[in-house]
Amino acid sequence: MGTKRDFDFPTSIAPSDGAEESASDSCGHDLVLLDQLTEEKMLLRKLDRRILPITCFLYLFAFLDRSNLGNARLQGLPEDILGGDPTGVLFDWLVSVFFIPYILCQVPCTVISKYYNPRTWIGCSAILWGLCSTMMSTANNFATLLVARVCLGVFEAAFGPSVVLYFSFYYTKNEYGTRVASWFGFAAVASAFGGLLAYAIQHAKVSIAKWRLLFIMEGVPTILLGVLCLFILPGRPESTEFLTPAERKLAADRMNRGTGGDVGVVVNHKHVIAAFLDWRIYVAGVIYFGLNCALGSLSAFLPTIIATMGHSSALSQLLTVPPYAVAGVILLIASYTSDRIQSRGFMIVAGCTLGGIGYMILLGVTHDQHVRYFATFCIAAGTYASIGLVLAWFAHNLGSETKRATGMPLFGAIGQTGSILGSHLYPLSAGPTYSYISYRLENKRRNEEFGEPDLDERVDTSELADKAPGFRYTP
């Protein structure tokens, strides 16, 4: 009997049956959470491998096709079909006319896209704008090239905002910014690649005008990518055959994490109206307007600006590459950081400041060409980082799928008018920097009135979108 007592736990530390059950339940709960996290990471990697490559390369060629006039200008386009264009007015209109249908068609195209399979919508728009870009190589006068640019604007309007909406189907708040930045960062890659391609074409010995070859080489791959998109891009999370049934359920749960508004082939008309009445969307449009002034002028005129530093046309094409390469790196760093800290406003302020400093240097320094070239790095890095952050900022701050489908292209359309201005002028960028304060104040007000919510708890936004009491903005 004494021997048996030697093996008993001391009374003070012996676990009770209830404690054993509690420890067992806690361990089991932790294992379930670990399994869920592992499954989610595997799903995220699977989605990234399938979604990001095709959408990023599509945007690369979309940006090439809309901005290649800057390179074509140095390859003889004005002399061939614009009568020399001594004032530059015709060239300016060719650049800016793209943005007129691009602005007007963004909202209706993005809302209508909700009724269609995303891969069909995105793939067909790519095929159509690729055809327009390729046909630009056959233009013989200002009018035919102008028509091709107008059609290009229509079909790209069906692409860009729809992809930004499409990403919100699969990625959560903590993942979205980095993915949008990776996608938008290919605009910087496109600008760098466009300079390299233009440099190579400049030295090619061909029987057709070099600017015509440029349009062909940038248009045909777009068509091929569009066809590929029809077969490999996943559709909506709840119905795509790309995922297993378990993965579809997990993807749908992730899509509704934190909110529970309208999803699928449906448009909530009240949320469409709510988007048009939301003043923050118009403030975002003003910010985006200023940034697009910078981006529009940069993409259209950077080769010409560098040429004024005393470089040949071919070398000027090549020297556009480093500023865009640096811009892409800065964009990814800024977006990754904003995802981690879940704050985008301050990062936008920093980007706008960097771009503004670059413009002041470029306008203020006239004799030191090395300093002026350095300024182009500041402009490109600040502009691209800020635009990528603005695009990511509003996707999860609009509360429902319909309000995102309306609000994002709405502020984008307002902002794209800046690209029209940027194609006619070379303005000093001074983007507004205050609206993130509104988000913080509204979150504070809701916390005081309704209490602090569990951020992982699902919020029903089907009626009020982002105005729901439990919804919290990303500042």
Side-chain angles (χ1 to χ4, degrees):
M1 291 173 59
T3 303
K4 182 177 184 300
R5 181 66 180 170
D6 290 341
F7 289 97
D8 286 342
F9 284 98
T11 304
S12 60
I13 63 172
S16 66
D17 291 343
E20 288 178 351
E21 291 176 4
S22 176
S24 177
D25 289 345
S26 176
C27 182
H29 180 66
D30 289 343
L31 289 174
V32 170
L33 288 178
L34 183 61
D35 288 342
Q36 289 176 344
L37 288 173
T38 301
E39 291 174 0
E40 192 160 338
K41 287 181 179 179
M42 292 175 62
L43 174 63
L44 190 59
R45 285 196 294 268
K46 185 175 182 179
L47 293 173
D48 283 344
R49 287 195 298 266
R50 181 60 70 95
I51 292 173
L52 290 181
I54 185 70
T55 54
C56 286
F57 276 104
L58 278 173
Y59 193 62
L60 183 151
F61 282 97
F63 202 83
L64 278 177
D65 291 340
R66 79 175 66 168
S67 62
N68 53 18
L69 287 178
N71 299 116
R73 187 182 201 181
L74 298 182
Q75 295 178 335
L77 183 147
E79 290 74 19
D80 287 350
I81 64 173
L82 301 181
D85 192 23
T87 64
V89 172
L90 294 180
F91 177 81
D92 290 350
W93 274 111
L94 287 177
V95 173
S96 61
V97 75
F98 163 88
F99 294 101
I100 297 173
Y102 189 71
I103 290 166
L104 295 176
C105 295
Q106 281 195 34
V107 172
C109 282
T110 310
V111 173
I112 292 171
S113 73
K114 278 178 57 64
Y115 289 114
Y116 295 90
N117 188 314
R119 70 180 180 189
T120 303
W121 183 271
I122 293 171
C124 289
S125 66
I127 293 170
L128 292 170
W129 100 63
L131 286 170
C132 293
S133 181
T134 305
M135 293 303 293
M136 285 167 58
S137 66
T138 67
N140 291 314
N141 52 49
F142 172 74
T144 53
L145 191 54
L146 191 74
V147 170
R149 292 281 296 176
V150 169
C151 295
L152 186 70
V154 172
F155 298 123
E156 284 205 26
F159 167 73
S162 298
V163 171
V164 178
L165 175 67
Y166 174 69
F167 279 3
S168 71
F169 297 166
Y170 283 102
Y171 296 113
T172 66
K173 283 185 178 181
N174 295 331
E175 303 156 356
Y176 187 81
T178 304
R179 272 70 184 183
V180 170
S182 300
W183 175 75
F184 180 72
F186 270 69
V189 175
S191 299
F193 176 73
L196 288 173
L197 181 61
Y199 178 79
I201 291 176
Q202 193 79 13
H203 290 83
K205 295 182 179 179
V206 291
S207 58
I208 63 173
K210 293 175 181 178
W211 62 267
R212 295 186 189 274
L213 179 61
L214 179 70
F215 290 153
I216 294 171
M217 293 187 67
E218 293 179 353
V220 171
T222 304
I223 300 172
L224 299 178
L225 281 170
V227 173
L228 186 63
C229 182
L230 295 174
F231 294 97
I232 72 169
L233 192 68
R236 292 191 60 90
E238 65 272 16
S239 59
T240 179
E241 297 178 357
F242 165 66
L243 301 176
T244 66
E247 289 171 336
R248 284 199 295 270
K249 182 179 184 304
L250 178 57
D253 290 343
R254 280 165 46 86
M255 180 174 63
N256 291 315
R257 184 172 295 167
T259 60
D262 61 298
V263 295
V265 185
V266 61
V267 172
N268 187 324
H269 296 92
K270 291 189 298 183
H271 292 186
V272 173
I273 296 171
F276 278 96
L277 296 178
D278 191 336
W279 65 269
R280 290 188 181 92
I281 291 175
Y282 296 96
V283 173
V286 173
I287 297 173
Y288 200 34
F289 174 90
L291 292 170
N292 272 300
C293 281
L295 184 64
S297 59
L298 188 69
S299 60
F301 296 111
L302 185 58
T304 305
I305 292 168
I306 294 177
T308 65
M309 299 177 187
H311 304 296
S312 66
S313 294
L315 184 57
S316 296
Q317 306 275 24
L318 189 62
L319 287 176
T320 62
V321 176
Y324 289 124
V326 171
V329 173
I330 297 298
L331 168 61
L332 289 175
I333 293 173
S335 299
Y336 178 81
T337 303
S338 76
D339 269 354
R340 298 280 72 78
I341 66 175
Q342 278 298 284
S343 179
R344 311 206 194 277
F346 287 116
M347 305 294 291
I348 294 171
V349 172
C352 289
T353 301
L354 178 62
I357 290 172
Y359 272 111
M360 287 188 284
I361 293 173
L362 191 63
L363 293 174
V365 177
T366 57
H367 301 296
D368 192 328
Q369 304 307 327
H370 293 92
V371 174
R372 294 185 71 215
Y373 186 54
F374 168 76
T376 65
F377 285 80
C378 297
I379 295 168
T383 301
Y384 276 90
S386 298
I387 290 181
L389 289 167
V390 167
L391 290 173
W393 201 9
F394 280 82
H396 288 285
N397 278 344
L398 294 177
S400 76
E401 198 173 290
T402 294
K403 193 172 181 184
R404 285 197 297 271
T406 308
M408 293 176 67
L410 177 58
F411 91 76
I414 296 169
Q416 287 295 348
T417 59
S419 298
I420 298 178
L421 178 60
S423 65
H424 288 277
L425 302 173
Y426 197 59
L428 178 64
S429 178
T433 58
Y434 56 84
S435 69
Y436 67 93
I437 297 174
S438 166
Y439 284 132
R440 293 182 185 276
L441 291 177
E442 180 62 18
N443 283 347
K444 181 180 178 181
R445 185 193 69 78
R446 292 186 189 181
N447 286 344
E448 292 173 350
E449 184 174 351
F450 305 109
E452 293 192 18
D454 181 351
L455 296 181
D456 289 330
E457 183 179 341
R458 184 175 179 181
V459 178
D460 184 1
T461 60
S462 58
E463 289 296 322
L464 300 175
D466 53 287
K467 303 301 180 184
F471 186 89
R472 294 298 181 271
Y473 295 106
T474 301

